[in-house]
Amino acid sequence: MADEEEAELSEKQKKEIAKWFLLKSPPGEIQFVAKDVKAVLNDDVLYEEAASEAFPLYNKSHLISLEMPGRIGDVIVTSYGQLNETEFIDPRTAQVAVVDHIKQVCTEVRPALDEELPSAYVEEFRCALDAEILKYVDEAYPKGICSVYCGNGKDVEGPGSDFELVVVISAARHSPQNFCNGSWRSIWSIEFKDELQMLELSGKLQVGAHYFEEGNVQLDAKHECKDTTIFQSSEDSAIAIGNIIRQHETEYLSSLEESYSNLPDTTFKDLRRKLPVTRTLFPWQNTLQFSLTRDITKELGIGK
């Protein structure tokens, strides 16, 4: 009996597969992936549909930052600052940026409306925290970008009500010419609970990296943490929050460095058989003698 011919994928299936590849792009590489996806699809209409759905999700999940016209600053593409599909507010400058998601550029800016900004009371706390976080990011993350948004309660006029601020930190280092791209993303939600005179912090940290020289190695590490401190004045609260964020992020980075520095002696060894089928132990003490690229080149006769 002859094998049945494989059914042709529907346009919907093709679009979903294209979106999957776009959304799974490593930090800073979606434009390269998009070029290949477009070539494979060979259908401009289908590609535009997939890209128009995938790029906004990718940009927001990766917290990309875009320079606003006039060099007035950078805006972070995040759901916490999103006003509509293409407009994102920058609280520090009180400007609204219009974003082209697929080209990943800011096309224009406009002043934020009063109803798009928090009340003077909330803004006092937001502004103090923004200054503290900006100082920390400048010290800790080269080329890092940060912003503080009002998550809830932006109309609170004074003491007696709860509100929420959200700290977003994004740092990326893209070096495709050196076969390496990476990013740091952290989001901290701070609930100001007036009745309890307590601040509750909840942080989500994520590190992504892609190294692709003579191979393909990716890192996608995530970490969540919580903490509390007392509700104080805007300046004192900002300092306390900044210290907590600094402590947790420093500890997480240190733990990553420690765990990955032990990879050659622990994890990589556990991935192999203790005694391979050749009955010869792998010479871990001299791994430099092995080169996948060199062996393949020799086997295929490349360069002769």
Side-chain angles (χ1 to χ4, degrees), residues 189-244:
S189 173
I190 304 101
E191 295 186 28
F192 289 71
K193 299 194 172 183
D194 188 88
E195 183 177 351
L196 299 176
Q197 287 295 290
M198 184 72 66
L199 306 182
E200 294 186 355
L201 289 81
S202 177
K204 295 182 179 181
L205 319 179
Q206 186 169 358
V207 180
H210 184 209
Y211 182 73
F212 48 99
E213 182 176 19
E214 299 187 355
N216 181 17
V217 179
Q218 292 197 51
L219 164 69
D220 186 11
K222 300 178 182 180
H223 177 67
E224 295 188 9
C225 47
K226 295 181 181 293
D227 212 322
T228 59
T229 186
I230 59 174
F231 196 140
Q232 305 175 75
S233 66
S234 58
E235 290 80 7
D236 291 339
S237 292
I239 293 173
I241 294 170
N243 288 337
I244 290 174

Side-chain angles (χ1 to χ4, degrees), residues 154-301:
K154 72 183 185 70
D155 296 326
V156 171
E157 296 291 346
S161 299
D162 299 344
F163 61 94
E164 177 191 29
L165 296 180
V166 179
V167 174
V168 176
I169 300 174
S170 175
R173 176 167 290 181
H174 301 152
S175 186
Q177 70 276 15
N178 293 316
F179 311 101
C180 184
N181 293 306
S183 70
W184 167 278
R185 290 161 273 168
S186 59
I187 298 175
W188 290 87
S189 173
I190 304 101
E191 295 186 28
F192 289 71
K193 299 194 172 183
D194 188 88
E195 183 177 351
L196 299 176
Q197 287 295 290
M198 184 72 66
L199 306 182
E200 294 186 355
L201 289 81
S202 177
K204 295 182 179 181
L205 319 179
Q206 186 169 358
V207 180
H210 184 209
Y211 182 73
F212 48 99
E213 182 176 19
E214 299 187 355
N216 181 17
V217 179
Q218 292 197 51
L219 164 69
D220 186 11
K222 300 178 182 180
H223 177 67
E224 295 188 9
C225 47
K226 295 181 181 293
D227 212 322
T228 59
T229 186
I230 59 174
F231 196 140
Q232 305 175 75
S233 66
S234 58
E235 290 80 7
D236 291 339
S237 292
I239 293 173
I241 294 170
N243 288 337
I244 290 174
I245 291 177
R246 183 191 300 268
Q247 176 187 345
H248 280 282
E249 294 194 352
T250 300
E251 289 178 354
Y252 179 54
L253 282 171
S254 298
S255 68
L256 281 178
E257 291 177 354
E258 181 179 355
S259 62
Y260 287 110
S261 65
N262 294 328
L263 277 178
D265 297 324
T266 57
T267 308
F268 283 159
K269 284 187 177 181
D270 292 337
L271 291 175
R272 283 187 62 89
R273 299 168 183 260
K274 297 301 181 183
L275 191 63
V277 292
T278 60
R279 314 301 297 174
T280 303
L281 290 173
F282 188 80
W284 292 99
Q285 71 280 1
N286 186 21
T287 58
L288 294 178
Q289 63 180 293
F290 295 93
S291 172
L292 180 61
T293 302
R294 184 177 65 243
D295 293 344
I296 293 177
T297 301
K298 180 179 179 181
E299 183 71 23
L300 298 180

Side-chain angles (χ1 to χ4, degrees), residues 99-165:
V99 171
D100 185 322
H101 283 287
I102 296 180
K103 293 182 179 179
Q104 294 184 316
V105 296
C106 177
T107 58
E108 59 180 289
V109 294
R110 65 166 176 83
L113 304 176
D114 290 341
E115 57 266 27
E116 295 169 339
L117 299 171
S119 66
Y121 175 72
V122 175
E123 177 63 16
E124 179 183 349
F125 284 87
R126 193 212 65 79
C127 189
L129 181 56
D130 183 58
E132 194 66 28
I133 297 300
L134 184 61
K135 185 193 309 180
Y136 159 61
V137 171
D138 285 342
E139 296 172 356
Y141 301 103
K143 298 182 180 179
I145 303 295
C146 64
S147 193
V148 180
Y149 304 87
C150 179
N152 289 301
K154 72 183 185 70
D155 296 326
V156 171
E157 296 291 346
S161 299
D162 299 344
F163 61 94
E164 177 191 29
L165 296 180

